[in-house]
Amino acid sequence: MDMMETVKKEISKRLEELSKEFYENVIPPLDIYENEGFLYITADLPGFSKDSIKVRLLGENYLEIIAERESKIEGTKYISQRPTRIDRKVRLPLKIKSDQQIAAKYENGVLTIKAPVQSGGVTIKIE
């Protein structure tokens, strides 16, 4: 294996590691599930205060979660810390009844959103 091939493999490996770190550390993982006419969305947001989190329903099936906090580390040459801003937009698998009460709760670093889903749709019999 020549030097150029070795360099390409190392760069590719490092980019894959950085991508994994980015998605694990900057974009909060979400759990989305439907149960008895409600869509539940949970997001892990440790270290953020309840007042720093904003949740918006965009249309009938897009959700936006924004959370911000101040960085407490200053005057150092190397900083490795959790993100200070999270901005996540997600397309929901079901449409939400936006005229109904949507509830959000933040407890122990976990944001839980409960939203009523639009019922309906038509079942088509296949012949």
Side-chain angles (χ1 to χ4, degrees), residues 22-33:
F22 174 78
Y23 285 104
E24 287 179 352
N25 296 318
V26 176
I27 298 177
L30 294 178
D31 290 321
I32 302 173
Y33 60 95

Side-chain angles (χ1 to χ4, degrees), residues 2-12:
D2 68 347
M3 180 67 127
M4 188 59 110
E5 196 65 32
T6 303
V7 170
K8 283 181 183 179
K9 283 188 176 189
E10 284 299 314
I11 289 172
S12 178

